[in-house]
Structure formats: C-alpha cells, structure tokens
Amino acid sequence: MRILLYAIFTNEYTKLIKPWLETTAKNFYPNNTDVLVITDNPSFVTSPNVMVREVDSKTNRTDELYTKFLHNLNILEEFKDKYDFFAHIQSNCFSPKIVD
C-alpha cells in the first residue's frame, strides 16, 4: 500500500514548514509513504525528499477557505493513481515541541 502524507501551509503557517518536516514528516519518509507540502511559499520546502505543489492563497481572500479546499482537491487529483491512501495532517494544529 502506498500512502501520501500531505499538509497545507499558507499565509502565516509557512513558518511551521521547517519544524513540521523535521519532526512529523521525517517519520514518514521510509517505506511506502511520501510527503507532499501544499503551500503558497514553495521556497520554504528545502528537503529533497518532499514533493511540493504551489497554491495561491493570497487571492480571493473573502472565499479563502473554499479556494484552499478546491486547490487541495485539484492537486491531489494529480496523485490519485499513484497512492492507495491519503493522510492529511493539518498544519495549523501542529505545534513543535519546545526543548530547553
């Protein structure tokens, strides 16, 4: 079974891309799981092990949630024949552990 783990990082949440990749997503690189980041700042994704697709969340702000949803579906449509299961980890619920 092939799994695609994906998250959407737009607007102020792009600052979480790096810690999310270093903690959460890193655990999914091996075996049959790939990682996809959907973001309006693709340059924030620096890992060669992660696929990235760009979404424009800066347009149509009054309808932002609906716009993100449609882009999300369109982007995942590209991968529908390559994966058996899609797992979404909501980036704005992710909070990196603070280590003293």
Side-chain angles (χ1 to χ4, degrees):
M1 178 189 299
R2 297 220 29 102
I3 300 168
L4 181 64
L5 172 76
Y6 71 98
I8 304 170
F9 292 92
T10 56
N11 303 323
E12 68 273 18
Y13 297 113
T14 55
K15 62 180 176 276
L16 291 176
I17 292 177
K18 188 174 188 295
W20 186 81
L21 288 174
E22 289 175 350
T23 55
T24 306
K26 181 173 70 172
N27 298 319
F28 293 90
Y29 291 162
N31 304 324
N32 293 321
T33 303
D34 292 323
V35 178
L36 169 66
V37 170
I38 301 169
T39 180
D40 50 12
N41 271 304
S43 63
F44 278 54
V45 181
T46 56
S47 172
N49 297 324
V50 176
M51 295 179 287
V52 61
R53 294 295 183 273
E54 187 169 7
V55 61
D56 184 3
S57 68
K58 294 181 176 73
T59 59
N60 199 9
R61 297 289 291 183
T62 56
D63 230 1
E64 182 178 2
L65 188 61
Y66 182 66
T67 303
K68 282 185 193 177
F69 175 74
L70 288 181
H71 276 293
N72 186 11
L73 291 182
N74 290 340
I75 288 169
L76 292 181
E77 182 77 11
E78 173 188 345
F79 297 98
K80 69 177 182 181
D81 297 329
K82 301 175 190 167
Y83 296 93
D84 303 305
F85 184 76
F86 295 82
H88 175 229
I89 296 184
Q90 193 165 334
S91 55
N92 61 357
C93 292
F94 169 74
S95 180
K97 182 178 177 184
I98 299 173
V99 179
D100 294 327

